[in-house]
Amino acid sequence: MTRRDLLQAMFQAAIGAASPALCVPPHLPPPPAGRTVVVGAGKAAAAMARAVEEHWTGPLSGLVVTRTGHGVPCRRIAVVEAAHPLPDDAGMTAATRIVHLVAGLSADDLVLCLLSGGGSALLALPAPGLTLAEKRAVTAALLRSGASIGEINCVRKHLSAIKGGRLAVAAAPAPVVTLAISDVVGDDPAVIASGPTVADPTTRADAIAVLRRHGIAVPAALAAGAETPKPGDPRLAAATVRVIATARQGLEAAAAVARFHGWQPLMLGDAIEGEAREAARVFAGIVRSIRDHGQPVAAPAVILSGGETTVTVRGRGRGGPNTEFLLALALAGVAVDALAGDTDGIDGSEDNAGATIAADTLHRAAALGVDGAAFLADNDAYGFFAALGDLVMTGPTRTNINDFRAILV
Amino acid sequence: MTRRDLLQAMFQAAIGAASPALCVPPHLPPPPAGRTVVVGAGKAAAAMARAVEEHWTGPLSGLVVTRTGHGVPCRRIAVVEAAHPLPDDAGMTAATRIVHLVAGLSADDLVLCLLSGGGSALLALPAPGLTLAEKRAVTAALLRSGASIGEINCVRKHLSAIKGGRLAVAAAPAPVVTLAISDVVGDDPAVIASGPTVADPTTRADAIAVLRRHGIAVPAALAAGAETPKPGDPRLAAATVRVIATARQGLEAAAAVARFHGWQPLMLGDAIEGEAREAARVFAGIVRSIRDHGQPVAAPAVILSGGETTVTVRGRGRGGPNTEFLLALALAGVAVDALAGDTDGIDGSEDNAGATIAADTLHRAAALGVDGAAFLADNDAYGFFAALGDLVMTGPTRTNINDFRAILV
């Protein structure tokens, strides 16, 4: 097995460990006496709905919204595709229908809510007084600012009529069971897809502070809006959440592949954040330590990590945090084989999941007349790896446990 | 022992492991048939000269230049104090005298050259055609730019009449034995104090590329100057270098202290680079992994690392990379006890070595009306920790093995 094949096998193992077909069935609740309504949103939502259909005994109806291209055919649950990361009319229509589907149910019924990363943007129902265009503008500004997903989702909850527990409020008194695939650092259900069925510990004041911190204008509707339901709110008493897949499970699956092939995993966890290019310099230092001193582990080792690095866009190129991480790692001069990719198959807003580097990446680039430093300065890591033919393309994986990085030392 | 005491004990152990009194004597060469001339530069230079005097058998003379405040009395070797990090006339006069001291020696004589971090700025002898003011202006621009020490020293060598092997050329045919305390990532003798006695693998073209990368004007004298001696140059055939203390030794000493007190060290090596505040976010992720998942080590653990993070100055406050790292780590929300400090006793250009944080740092700051995020945005980590009384002040340590970070989890 080549090093690149090993990297690909670890990435596939991480994605596979989080696949809805594997993770959903063990967590399905018993059927209720009354009706079961399935709702949901996220890049995994259609695949999760399919897994429910295949294992559910009893009647079932509902609607889930997923990102364009991430749908799979379902027989009893409607699947709507909508835009991501900027919400569109399809997402807004779907969110409106979801709120209507769960309204008027009784305590004998059940709402099964299927959430995953991307759900926050897909479930777009502007709060009263706000237009979808305003919501889009604020979201776009946040995505450009280098804000964390936690910060972005705090704002989203307070611009929304469905997020931050409001969907569960709409469903009360029906019990709500939420199954969530986590794409957020810390696996907090209140953050995944902006927690439409979970009490919201953040406040309007927090959301306003995030916008101010990043120099973004505060919409008037946010300053004047209603608060989200807070922990202890009786309207959420019948709502429970199970996180059924996490980045850590994916990393453990990759570690098993590594061990099988004789590489010792160094697990740096599922919570790595920071500017992608600077995180790469930190990782380069750890590579040097393993290579030069055998610390904290002896080579051959594979540094595995997840989490979510960010890119503060200053140039005009294309690329997400995973390709930017890899380009910076190559430029740090440690000459390693590595793969970084988003487990949803989409690095940033591109059509690639990530890319790979090898010891000869910069030499090959130079032979092609491709200046890595210039591409990095222009935030054009996508262009760099496209020129080298080293993009990793998976297509939509229909799950999402955040970023995945593997570095062979 | 409190956690803060443990952090301080580890920091002191790291500094102590690199002290000239400990490291210099085992590496002294046998006396020559002829004269012995001691020269040197760096924050440890005077302490190194003192260690030579105390263990040398035979006649001895010479001159070393150290940073203002880092001198110690010597009897036979002159000690000059000069400015750092921006060179001044005292450094220039000392450099001129050093070049004269080594000129005209024979193959029976010996030049003992004592180098340590800071030597690059202290040994300021502008290349022909360049004024000290021009040299200072370029150095100041580089220090502000976020350039690495490797990049800064590449430029310094090509603006200098003494660095990049030129001192050894001046001493030929006398043998030159260099004892170096490393403050650079990788411990490359050609980089420590800009390698005045070591062949220079970098070129004028490299130096010009560094300046262009950081948007700094290229002095005419650099574009037109002579090349430094390259590896294999016969004029450097009698020059040898021994690196007698490194960051890794300091980290090992700190690890021994940690183990003695029941904390498992996680050694992330001596080569951590990157923007300090972003490196802190990466470390926060590793803290979360240890705390939440026991990976890559179980708590109680201490994350130890060295290297050199950098600060790109955008605000108007005070502070070096170690305080900025700590403030960002506190703001990352992991609530740990940690110490970060420069082993030379000077974080950036301040009078503190570093600082400490504890689980209650942000609460104590809030009680004082001190907004950590605002201080970080203004690059005023010094002001933040000064307000809290949490600066670590060692005074000049008279050694220098770069940054030291310890995080208790």
Side-chain angles (χ1 to χ4, degrees), chain A residues 252 270 275 278 285 293 295, chain B residues 252 270-271 275 278 293 295:
Chain A
E252 293 289 357
D270 55 6
E275 185 76 17
E278 302 300 326
H293 309 310
Q295 287 182 331
Chain B
E252 292 288 358
D270 55 6
E275 185 75 18
E278 302 299 328
H293 308 309
Q295 290 183 328

Side-chain angles (χ1 to χ4, degrees), chain B:
Chain B
M1 182 180 249
T2 67
R3 290 180 168 220
R4 186 182 289 213
D5 287 343
L6 173 61
L7 291 166
Q8 292 274 11
M10 288 190 287
F11 187 42
Q12 292 301 334
I15 294 169
S19 72
L22 190 72
C23 299
V24 166
H27 293 283
L28 289 173
R35 299 173 54 202
T36 299
V37 174
V38 176
V39 296
K43 291 172 187 167
M48 292 174 85
R50 171 93 154 238
V52 173
E53 281 195 348
E54 288 175 356
H55 292 84
W56 193 257
T57 53
L60 204 58
S61 66
L63 182 151
V64 297
V65 54
T66 191
R67 189 185 198 264
T68 304
H70 293 240
V72 288
C74 290
R75 289 176 295 112
R76 292 176 283 172
I77 303 164
V79 173
V80 171
E81 293 193 345
H84 178 280
L86 295 180
D88 66 358
D89 286 338
M92 191 162 110
T93 306
T96 309
R97 286 174 64 192
I98 284 172
V99 172
H100 284 296
L101 279 172
V102 304
L105 295 179
S106 80
D108 287 337
D109 300 321
L110 172 69
V111 174
L112 194 55
C113 181
L114 309 174
L115 296 179
S116 55
S120 197
L122 296 164
L123 264 191
L125 195 56
L130 200 71
T131 68
L132 185 61
E134 285 177 301
K135 220 175 127 124
R136 280 171 59 95
V138 172
T139 306
L142 278 168
L143 288 170
R144 276 195 308 269
S145 72
S148 71
I149 189 157
E151 290 180 316
I152 294 172
N153 285 356
C154 168
V155 173
R156 281 170 162 161
K157 284 181 187 184
H158 292 88
L159 300 178
S160 168
I162 191 168
K163 298 187 183 98
R166 287 180 165 123
L167 178 62
V169 170
V176 179
V177 172
T178 299
L179 305 184
I181 295 176
S182 172
D183 72 321
V184 299
V185 167
D187 303 324
D188 180 355
V191 180
I192 302 165
S194 299
T197 58
V198 183
D200 177 22
T202 73
T203 63
R204 271 194 302 146
D206 293 332
I208 291 169
V210 167
L211 291 175
R212 293 213 170 118
R213 191 175 312 144
H214 294 286
I216 299 167
V218 177
L222 172 58
E227 261 300 352
T228 47
K230 294 287 163 280
D233 190 309
R235 296 169 295 175
L236 271 62
T240 58
V241 187
R242 299 176 196 173
V243 178
I244 64 169
T246 65
R248 195 192 170 202
Q249 288 169 224
L251 293 171
E252 292 288 358
V257 172
R259 284 191 202 97
F260 180 81
H261 291 282
W263 293 75
Q264 182 178 3
L266 172 65
M267 305 290 272
L268 290 187
D270 55 6
I272 301 296
E273 298 182 283
E275 185 75 18
R277 66 180 63 196
E278 302 299 328
R281 298 176 68 191
V282 174
F283 276 75
I286 298 171
V287 167
R288 287 195 171 94
S289 181
I290 294 171
R291 189 179 276 170
D292 297 346
H293 308 309
Q295 290 183 328
V297 294
V302 50
I303 304 174
L304 290 171
S305 66
E308 177 155 4
T309 64
T310 43
V311 173
T312 305
V313 178
R314 296 202 169 86
R316 293 183 301 177
R318 298 172 62 188
N322 289 289
T323 49
E324 185 140 324
F325 174 91
L326 285 175
L327 177 51
L329 185 63
L331 289 167
V334 287
V336 287
D337 294 83
L339 181 151
D342 195 318
T343 53
D344 65 8
I346 303 153
D347 185 33
S349 304
E350 307 299 340
D351 61 0
N352 67 315
T356 57
I357 60 173
D360 66 351
T361 292
L362 291 185
H363 287 110
R364 290 174 47 231
L368 294 168
V370 172
D371 176 357
F375 277 73
L376 183 60
D378 199 30
N379 293 118
D380 196 11
Y382 181 98
F384 178 85
F385 289 110
L388 267 69
D390 287 343
L391 293 171
V392 171
M393 315 285 276
T394 58
T397 64
R398 301 184 179 86
T399 191
N400 186 2
I401 49 169
N402 223 333
D403 292 345
F404 172 90
R405 287 174 297 273
I407 305 171
L408 302 181
V409 189

Side-chain angles (χ1 to χ4, degrees), chain A residues 21 80 161 170 197 199 218 337 352 394 398 402 405:
Chain A
V80 171
T197 57
V218 177
D337 294 82
N352 66 315
T394 59
R398 300 186 179 84
N402 222 333
R405 287 173 296 272

